[in-house]
Amino acid sequence: MALALSSTVAPRFLPMRLPKVCLALSGDTVEDMLATAESMAQDNPFIEFRLDYLKQPLAALPKIHRFLETHQYVTAIGTCRRADNGGKFKGSLASQLDVLTKAHAAGCQIVDLELQSAVKSKPEAIARLRSRAGLILSFHDFRATRNLDETLEKMLKIPADFYKVVSTATTLSDNVAMMKFLQTQSGSHALIGLCMGEQGIMSRVLSVRAGSAFTFGAVDANAGLKTAPGQVSARDLRGIYRIEQVDAATRIYGVAGDPIEHSLSPVIMNAALRRENVNGVYLPLHVKTLKSLIHCVREIPLHGLSITMPYKQAILPYLDNTDAHTTKIGACNTVVRGQDGKLYGFNTDIAGVVRPLEQRLSIENAKVLVLGAGGAARAAVFGLKERGAEVWILNRTAVKAQKLARQAKARTIKRADLRKIAFDVIVNATPVGMGNTRDCPLKDEEIQARVVFDMVYDPVETHLLQVARAKGISVIPGIEMFVQQAARQFEIWTGKPAPAGDMLRVVTIALQDRAAAQKQQKS
Ligand code: ATR
């Protein structure tokens, strides 16, 4: 049926220039697949049809054919990966080749065949397939990133139009190996390369810069619609990471932490880079060891890092120099790689605390109560003391409050004495209230001040802020701290003023979207 159809239509040729992102499309039925294709093709004119996900790929091809006939602008890859090689197809080798041949007849200008299937096939059969369609010869390593050059050497024995080498990143350093492989080999061969896994996200964005012909994006990376682990959605690759603009001159930044999946930093920082026309991209870096992170910083190279949990202190021994704030707080949240290759550490959490307050009142001589004595509290206490505030610290564990008070020349206060002082500002630097709107670090009657600043930013409106607002107190949500510490990082890296208003807007929208998605999941 598919072949009969094909003989009546003109062949669809491969465009000279392929888009940088190919949408990897799976689905249990061809109807699901095509409904997604229909809704996404306009923004994603390059689509891989994972025929192996379908129970009867051959029976689905006439429908795919009709879709491609009515969407002439779409460039399509037909893939029917065998279960042994990480796909779902369980038929014979002959039937796999038959599906691919007919996929081409149905309008897929390119077909993907695994190396393992190719070596078992007759060279004439592969040559016949390639005489019709563009051929991607692919190899997937689901365990590690190793022997990339040797793998390519084996693959080159079989003539193909593209050689696709996909490995699994178990450390960030694996991205460096993939990038070097692409840089050295892509001059001589048409390659597609990337690392799977959460630690391989960097390669999914940067591989095109290193020489990969294109990369793959998921339909929706959060909805179980990934066809490979660690896949980023095609929309994020283009919208957040601006992959079509990533080139050799693009500066690379990232946020290093563990876990990192839910970090909002990529959304806010990439929005700032785009807004200020900086040729840069900012990536989430799932760091398992600082050694592998430093390897990437030196080899890729990375120009700047945001450092988050649990590495703000552990990064210190790797830095060549640190600013006064980092030394005082004993933690670093910002790294710059200088032109000399040296690593400089900064702490912008102080700016995160001070800037939102400065916009509301004069900090000098203001009476401030800081709740907590951990890392966040240190930034608040030192920052506020530096600006001439009178600071009292209240902490669950009194000795920690006393220690911090001694270091910063601040005072401690007992909970029973809170009502004795008329505070201008209360800053919550404990995690109490995070993730819910019931917990509160103070009783309602203890919340008395002109301004209440909650460093907790998820939810946006904590119980503490709700009570304060109801009392007519001016409130500062934690996202302002998040935005201002990020804004200061942006300024350190780029030397440009940060678009803080835009950054606040995108992070507010991202938090609202996240809350709505969580609500939907629960219902
Ligand atoms: P961060 O870097 O976010 O400041 P941290 O260094 O672990 O995190 O510090 C958390 C602070 O919040 C500490 O002051 C902690 O009090 P303790 O010193 O007694 O541990 C405080 N904190 C955490 N959970 C708390 C809770 N449930 N009630 C009151 N204070 C809490």
Side-chain angles (χ1 to χ4, degrees), residues 188-203:
S188 323
H189 315 286
L191 297 183
I192 302 151
L194 55 89
C195 302
M196 293 181 286
E198 215 200 325
Q199 295 193 68
I201 287 176
M202 192 193 284
S203 74

PDB file of all heavy atoms in Angstrom, residues 188-203:
ATOM      1  N   SER A 188      35.823  15.802   8.790  1.00  0.00           N
ATOM      2  CA  SER A 188      35.959  14.772   7.759  1.00  0.00           C
ATOM      3  C   SER A 188      34.682  13.974   7.515  1.00  0.00           C
ATOM      4  O   SER A 188      34.547  13.333   6.481  1.00  0.00           O
ATOM      5  CB  SER A 188      37.051  13.764   8.158  1.00  0.00           C
ATOM      6  OG  SER A 188      38.112  14.404   8.798  1.00  0.00           O
ATOM      7  N   HIS A 189      33.774  13.964   8.498  1.00  0.00           N
ATOM      8  CA  HIS A 189      32.562  13.130   8.357  1.00  0.00           C
ATOM      9  C   HIS A 189      31.341  13.902   8.841  1.00  0.00           C
ATOM     10  O   HIS A 189      31.453  14.741   9.721  1.00  0.00           O
ATOM     11  CB  HIS A 189      32.697  11.847   9.194  1.00  0.00           C
ATOM     12  CG  HIS A 189      34.020  11.185   9.055  1.00  0.00           C
ATOM     13  ND1 HIS A 189      34.371  10.483   7.923  1.00  0.00           N
ATOM     14  CD2 HIS A 189      35.092  11.143   9.880  1.00  0.00           C
ATOM     15  CE1 HIS A 189      35.603  10.031   8.075  1.00  0.00           C
ATOM     16  NE2 HIS A 189      36.074  10.426   9.251  1.00  0.00           N
ATOM     17  N   ALA A 190      30.175  13.559   8.244  1.00  0.00           N
ATOM     18  CA  ALA A 190      28.925  14.179   8.719  1.00  0.00           C
ATOM     19  C   ALA A 190      28.480  13.427   9.970  1.00  0.00           C
ATOM     20  O   ALA A 190      28.133  12.246   9.894  1.00  0.00           O
ATOM     21  CB  ALA A 190      27.861  14.091   7.638  1.00  0.00           C
ATOM     22  N   LEU A 191      28.541  14.107  11.104  1.00  0.00           N
ATOM     23  CA  LEU A 191      28.289  13.426  12.377  1.00  0.00           C
ATOM     24  C   LEU A 191      27.080  14.002  13.098  1.00  0.00           C
ATOM     25  O   LEU A 191      26.737  15.181  12.943  1.00  0.00           O
ATOM     26  CB  LEU A 191      29.496  13.607  13.312  1.00  0.00           C
ATOM     27  CG  LEU A 191      30.827  13.011  12.887  1.00  0.00           C
ATOM     28  CD1 LEU A 191      31.855  13.237  13.989  1.00  0.00           C
ATOM     29  CD2 LEU A 191      30.699  11.527  12.597  1.00  0.00           C
ATOM     30  N   ILE A 192      26.482  13.141  13.895  1.00  0.00           N
ATOM     31  CA  ILE A 192      25.494  13.576  14.875  1.00  0.00           C
ATOM     32  C   ILE A 192      26.002  12.955  16.176  1.00  0.00           C
ATOM     33  O   ILE A 192      26.263  11.752  16.218  1.00  0.00           O
ATOM     34  CB  ILE A 192      24.085  13.030  14.557  1.00  0.00           C
ATOM     35  CG1 ILE A 192      23.659  13.478  13.154  1.00  0.00           C
ATOM     36  CG2 ILE A 192      23.079  13.491  15.611  1.00  0.00           C
ATOM     37  CD1 ILE A 192      22.709  12.519  12.485  1.00  0.00           C
ATOM     38  N   GLY A 193      26.157  13.766  17.210  1.00  0.00           N
ATOM     39  CA  GLY A 193      26.681  13.203  18.458  1.00  0.00           C
ATOM     40  C   GLY A 193      26.100  13.909  19.658  1.00  0.00           C
ATOM     41  O   GLY A 193      25.855  15.117  19.633  1.00  0.00           O
ATOM     42  N   LEU A 194      25.850  13.154  20.692  1.00  0.00           N
ATOM     43  CA  LEU A 194      25.409  13.733  21.968  1.00  0.00           C
ATOM     44  C   LEU A 194      25.479  12.653  23.037  1.00  0.00           C
ATOM     45  O   LEU A 194      25.612  11.472  22.733  1.00  0.00           O
ATOM     46  CB  LEU A 194      23.984  14.292  21.861  1.00  0.00           C
ATOM     47  CG  LEU A 194      22.876  13.378  21.369  1.00  0.00           C
ATOM     48  CD1 LEU A 194      22.224  12.623  22.516  1.00  0.00           C
ATOM     49  CD2 LEU A 194      21.824  14.208  20.652  1.00  0.00           C
ATOM     50  N   CYS A 195      25.389  13.112  24.304  1.00  0.00           N
ATOM     51  CA  CYS A 195      25.364  12.175  25.429  1.00  0.00           C
ATOM     52  C   CYS A 195      23.965  12.136  26.025  1.00  0.00           C
ATOM     53  O   CYS A 195      23.376  13.183  26.280  1.00  0.00           O
ATOM     54  CB  CYS A 195      26.319  12.607  26.542  1.00  0.00           C
ATOM     55  SG  CYS A 195      28.028  12.783  26.065  1.00  0.00           S
ATOM     56  N   MET A 196      23.473  10.935  26.280  1.00  0.00           N
ATOM     57  CA  MET A 196      22.190  10.798  26.983  1.00  0.00           C
ATOM     58  C   MET A 196      22.436  10.928  28.485  1.00  0.00           C
ATOM     59  O   MET A 196      23.562  10.957  28.949  1.00  0.00           O
ATOM     60  CB  MET A 196      21.592   9.412  26.708  1.00  0.00           C
ATOM     61  CG  MET A 196      21.176   9.205  25.264  1.00  0.00           C
ATOM     62  SD  MET A 196      20.458   7.566  25.011  1.00  0.00           S
ATOM     63  CE  MET A 196      21.903   6.513  25.075  1.00  0.00           C
ATOM     64  N   GLY A 197      21.337  10.974  29.229  1.00  0.00           N
ATOM     65  CA  GLY A 197      21.429  11.049  30.693  1.00  0.00           C
ATOM     66  C   GLY A 197      21.367  12.482  31.164  1.00  0.00           C
ATOM     67  O   GLY A 197      21.659  13.408  30.404  1.00  0.00           O
ATOM     68  N   GLU A 198      20.972  12.647  32.442  1.00  0.00           N
ATOM     69  CA  GLU A 198      20.798  14.005  32.969  1.00  0.00           C
ATOM     70  C   GLU A 198      22.108  14.789  32.938  1.00  0.00           C
ATOM     71  O   GLU A 198      22.112  16.003  32.791  1.00  0.00           O
ATOM     72  CB  GLU A 198      20.257  13.934  34.402  1.00  0.00           C
ATOM     73  CG  GLU A 198      19.313  15.084  34.678  1.00  0.00           C
ATOM     74  CD  GLU A 198      19.135  15.344  36.152  1.00  0.00           C
ATOM     75  OE1 GLU A 198      19.145  14.373  36.932  1.00  0.00           O
ATOM     76  OE2 GLU A 198      19.004  16.513  36.515  1.00  0.00           O
ATOM     77  N   GLN A 199      23.226  14.066  33.057  1.00  0.00           N
ATOM     78  CA  GLN A 199      24.507  14.771  33.027  1.00  0.00           C
ATOM     79  C   GLN A 199      24.968  15.086  31.605  1.00  0.00           C
ATOM     80  O   GLN A 199      26.007  15.700  31.409  1.00  0.00           O
ATOM     81  CB  GLN A 199      25.549  13.956  33.767  1.00  0.00           C
ATOM     82  CG  GLN A 199      25.187  13.870  35.231  1.00  0.00           C
ATOM     83  CD  GLN A 199      26.313  13.363  36.066  1.00  0.00           C
ATOM     84  OE1 GLN A 199      27.313  14.042  36.223  1.00  0.00           O
ATOM     85  NE2 GLN A 199      26.163  12.166  36.556  1.00  0.00           N
ATOM     86  N   GLY A 200      24.181  14.642  30.625  1.00  0.00           N
ATOM     87  CA  GLY A 200      24.563  14.900  29.235  1.00  0.00           C
ATOM     88  C   GLY A 200      23.831  16.080  28.613  1.00  0.00           C
ATOM     89  O   GLY A 200      24.010  16.364  27.423  1.00  0.00           O
ATOM     90  N   ILE A 201      23.034  16.781  29.408  1.00  0.00           N
ATOM     91  CA  ILE A 201      22.231  17.884  28.856  1.00  0.00           C
ATOM     92  C   ILE A 201      23.121  18.910  28.149  1.00  0.00           C
ATOM     93  O   ILE A 201      22.776  19.450  27.103  1.00  0.00           O
ATOM     94  CB  ILE A 201      21.384  18.539  29.981  1.00  0.00           C
ATOM     95  CG1 ILE A 201      20.250  17.579  30.357  1.00  0.00           C
ATOM     96  CG2 ILE A 201      20.821  19.887  29.554  1.00  0.00           C
ATOM     97  CD1 ILE A 201      19.389  18.036  31.503  1.00  0.00           C
ATOM     98  N   MET A 202      24.282  19.134  28.744  1.00  0.00           N
ATOM     99  CA  MET A 202      25.218  20.092  28.145  1.00  0.00           C
ATOM    100  C   MET A 202      25.503  19.731  26.679  1.00  0.00           C
ATOM    101  O   MET A 202      25.480  20.570  25.786  1.00  0.00           O
ATOM    102  CB  MET A 202      26.530  20.012  28.944  1.00  0.00           C
ATOM    103  CG  MET A 202      27.491  21.107  28.660  1.00  0.00           C
ATOM    104  SD  MET A 202      29.116  20.730  29.346  1.00  0.00           S
ATOM    105  CE  MET A 202      28.886  21.023  31.015  1.00  0.00           C
ATOM    106  N   SER A 203      25.725  18.439  26.425  1.00  0.00           N
ATOM    107  CA  SER A 203      26.056  18.022  25.051  1.00  0.00           C
ATOM    108  C   SER A 203      24.856  18.167  24.120  1.00  0.00           C
ATOM    109  O   SER A 203      25.016  18.379  22.925  1.00  0.00           O
ATOM    110  CB  SER A 203      26.541  16.572  25.043  1.00  0.00           C
ATOM    111  OG  SER A 203      25.450  15.695  25.233  1.00  0.00           O
TER     112      SER A 203
END
